[in-house]
Amino acid sequence: MKSSFPLSQKYKDFINTVNGVDADFLEGTTASGKTTVGAGVKFMRMVSRSSQKLHIIASKTTGTAEKNIIQQDNGILDIHPKAKYYGNGDKDYKIPHIRFEGKIIFVLGYDNRDKWELVLGSQFGCVYIDEINTANIDFVREISTRNKYLMATLNPDDPNLPVYKEFINRSRPYKKYASDVPQEIMDELKEEPVPKWRYWFFTFRDNLSLTEEDIEKKIRSAPPGTKLYKNKIQGLRGKATGLIFPNFDRKKHVVTAEWVKQQVKNGKIKFKKFTAALDTSYSSKSPDTIAMIFQGITDDRCIITLTEKVYSNKDMDTPLAPSDTTIKFIDFLECCRKEWGFAKDVFIDSADQATITELKKYKRLHGCLYSFFDSYKKVEIMDRIKLMLGWIQQGCYLVVDTCVEHLGELDRYSWQEDKDLPEDRNDHTINASQYSWIPYRQMIGFEED
């Protein structure tokens, strides 16, 4: 093997971690060197160490694999001069493949189901999947059971894609490099972990072949706050369509509960109103959620999302019914009252009359402190978005860092690609927060001159 590029210590550790690892998932910014080092160096090393003959490299098409992985500068053929690529197959194997140290590495396009289904009748040693976030999920599921070692690279994408929940979010970083992973991604690595699956986050700072001038040029190429900037420069997940709240910045708008309580204790924050709301979806076939939000409005016209609670019937063996949600919502309000303060009037998605009926029935039979009202929807969705954009810009919309679902939705809530309307997803805690503040919107933010 020859290598004409320098390696950071993180990449050296990545390459040398060969024992006790069944899968490596590589995510990060543009130009971080994931493909060059991942496919060209470590994957080929794992193939070399494997006792099995058959292996796989999969990309969107075989042409993409040739261009980006095999034949590019510092690609597999450049790094490994003894490797031979047969783009049209040979007498033994009719599909594209690489011959390397007596091993065969098939080159597949996961865009063509008919072709990859022909290959997946065997067990393989090592499998490399390029941009796994764009791969056919059936291919990923099938190949994941037919290898001893899996490596996959991915570009930032919609974190609601099944590949994240089923594969990527089940991996974990080594402690040495956990602090390199952006907090919003760490928050999503929450599925039951597979012990030998490793997660790596690389940036262009890990690519030592880039100069400071190269890095600065790349940073300047994308306007801050845009979807492009978050994906390419920060390496953060999110859809490719435009974000609805591109001005929401975790560094500016996220606070801790301890900070809020300290500010209250010091008299720097005084809450004028507490409010809460509930948005519901009882489907067990979609990722839609039952979302509870508790917020406080301060005397200096800020709104702070203090607490959330989210349930999904898709994840439950026994789905919640409106009567169950009633108990859970009242428990939620009581916990918030004891920790923060009393929200007497609370608001429920007006489309869910079943839950509203159950809440009022509970109050009638058992009595409770709270009054339940239908959400007020005459403030249209575009006007709600406009208000929130203004408050975020003024620094008047803050979120406590434990409200992980709400923060995730603020990062993902996007416009439809073909219409100037929001997508009907990634919005349940956002809807609940809006139901919560709509009756008190005149108490939030500052009028512009």
Side-chain angles (χ1 to χ4, degrees):
M1 183 183 81
K2 69 172 187 176
S3 174
S4 60
F5 48 87
L7 293 170
S8 67
Q9 186 59 51
K10 188 196 294 187
Y11 269 126
K12 289 177 183 177
D13 289 344
F14 163 67
I15 293 166
N16 291 325
T17 306
V18 294
N19 295 316
V21 177
D22 291 342
D24 283 311
F25 295 95
L26 286 63
E27 190 169 17
T29 71
T30 186
S32 61
K34 299 188 299 293
T35 302
T36 297
V37 181
V41 182
K42 183 169 183 180
F43 176 74
M44 296 301 282
R45 182 177 184 182
M46 299 299 281
V47 170
S48 180
R49 288 168 51 89
S50 175
S51 61
Q52 291 188 248
K53 184 176 182 179
L54 301 180
H55 310 269
I56 284 177
I57 288 175
S59 189
K60 186 170 186 179
T61 65
T62 54
T64 303
E66 290 173 1
K67 179 172 70 74
N68 295 339
I69 302 170
I70 299 169
Q71 296 173 338
Q72 67 165 345
D73 290 344
N74 288 325
I76 288 175
L77 298 184
D78 199 1
I79 297 172
H80 304 273
K82 293 184 179 180
K84 303 297 181 186
Y85 178 57
Y86 297 84
N88 296 313
D90 61 13
K91 62 183 179 62
D92 298 315
Y93 301 98
K94 304 303 180 185
I95 65 173
H97 63 274
I98 298 169
R99 288 185 176 270
F100 174 69
E101 296 183 356
K103 316 287 176 64
I104 302 297
I105 306 172
F106 293 123
V107 180
L108 305 179
Y110 46 66
D111 68 326
N112 191 320
R113 188 184 190 105
D114 293 337
K115 288 186 178 179
W116 60 253
E117 282 187 335
L118 291 175
V119 176
L120 297 188
S122 306
Q123 292 292 321
F124 300 91
C126 304
V127 171
Y128 176 91
I129 305 178
D130 183 48
E131 297 187 1
I132 191 173
N133 53 297
T134 67
N136 182 309
I137 190 62
D138 291 330
F139 168 77
V140 178
R141 290 166 178 156
E142 181 72 20
I143 199 65
S144 69
T145 64
R146 296 179 177 273
N147 67 82
K148 289 194 172 181
Y149 171 74
L150 171 67
M151 180 185 294
T153 62
L154 61 148
N155 293 324
D157 205 341
D158 180 359
N160 285 323
L161 292 172
V163 71
Y164 287 95
K165 183 180 179 65
E166 295 179 30
F167 296 95
I168 299 151
N169 292 346
R170 298 170 70 196
S171 62
R172 296 292 186 272
Y174 285 101
K175 288 183 180 178
K176 181 177 180 179
Y177 295 112
S179 61
D180 293 352
V181 183
Q183 187 59 49
E184 43 265 63
I185 292 180
M186 281 297 292
D187 290 341
E188 295 193 2
L189 302 181
K190 61 186 178 182
E191 306 301 331
E192 187 67 27
V194 180
K196 296 182 180 180
W197 285 15
R198 296 292 170 233
Y199 177 86
W200 300 84
F201 187 87
F202 293 104
T203 75
F204 32 60
R205 300 286 178 187
D206 297 308
N207 185 350
L208 298 187
S209 63
L210 294 178
T211 66
E212 281 297 322
E213 184 179 354
D214 294 333
I215 292 171
E216 287 303 316
K217 184 176 180 181
K218 291 184 181 298
I219 292 173
R220 290 195 301 268
S221 68
T226 63
K227 184 67 187 146
L228 182 68
Y229 188 89
K230 284 197 169 189
N231 281 173
K232 298 295 186 182
I233 306 305
Q234 295 178 300
L236 301 178
R237 297 172 183 176
K239 280 190 81 280
T241 51
L243 287 176
I244 288 178
F245 300 115
N247 60 342
F248 186 83
D249 184 339
R250 290 192 180 220
K251 292 180 180 178
K252 297 178 181 177
H253 302 110
V254 177
V255 296
T256 66
E258 291 72 21
W259 178 86
V260 176
K261 291 174 182 177
Q262 190 62 46
Q263 297 297 100
V264 171
K265 183 178 179 180
N266 294 339
K268 294 181 180 179
I269 285 180
K270 293 181 180 178
F271 284 109
K272 198 171 183 178
K273 173 69 71 175
F274 291 106
T275 181
L278 171 66
D279 185 55
T280 58
S281 173
Y282 290 100
S283 171
S284 58
K285 297 181 180 179
S286 76
D288 293 345
T289 60
I290 298 164
M292 305 172 187
I293 285 286
F294 186 87
Q295 297 173 307
I297 301 172
T298 68
D299 64 352
D300 58 352
R301 307 187 67 82
C302 285
I303 183 165
I304 306 176
T305 301
L306 297 166
T307 311
E308 67 174 15
K309 192 71 175 178
V310 177
Y311 301 91
S312 174
N313 273 345
K314 185 180 180 182
D315 300 329
M316 292 188 170
D317 294 331
T318 304
L320 295 179
S323 56
D324 303 314
T325 300
T326 292
I327 302 300
K328 290 185 179 297
F329 187 47
I330 290 172
D331 287 345
F332 170 76
L333 294 171
E334 280 296 282
C335 288
C336 294
R337 179 178 67 82
K338 292 171 184 175
E339 182 174 8
W340 296 104
F342 180 37
K344 177 178 175 293
D345 298 336
V346 295
F347 304 90
I348 322 299
D349 180 3
S350 60
D352 182 11
Q353 288 299 311
T355 301
I356 293 171
T357 299
E358 286 292 333
L359 284 162
K360 291 183 176 180
K361 176 182 174 183
Y362 181 94
K363 183 178 177 74
R364 186 174 67 253
L365 294 177
H366 306 284
C368 74
L369 296 171
Y370 307 99
S371 298
F372 305 106
F373 296 95
D374 288 21
S375 61
Y376 183 77
K377 292 186 177 178
K378 289 187 178 180
V379 179
E380 296 184 355
I381 188 71
M382 300 300 279
D383 292 323
R384 299 182 216 166
I385 290 171
K386 181 181 176 184
L387 285 169
M388 286 182 66
L389 282 167
W391 297 339
I392 292 168
Q393 195 66 28
Q394 295 171 351
C396 294
Y397 193 96
L398 304 178
V399 182
V400 168
D401 60 357
T402 52
C403 298
V404 174
E405 292 295 328
H406 192 52
L407 290 171
E409 289 186 359
L410 289 168
D411 284 339
R412 298 192 298 264
Y413 193 34
S414 300
W415 300 105
Q416 295 182 33
E417 294 186 27
D418 55 347
K419 297 179 182 177
D420 293 331
L421 293 170
E423 291 182 329
D424 187 21
R425 58 176 176 172
N426 297 317
D427 61 355
H428 290 283
T429 67
I430 289 173
N431 287 339
S433 76
Q434 292 171 347
Y435 302 155
S436 174
W437 57 249
I438 280 174
Y440 312 112
R441 60 193 182 279
Q442 302 298 335
M443 300 167 62
I444 308 165
F446 306 98
E447 291 188 7
E448 298 290 344
D449 292 334

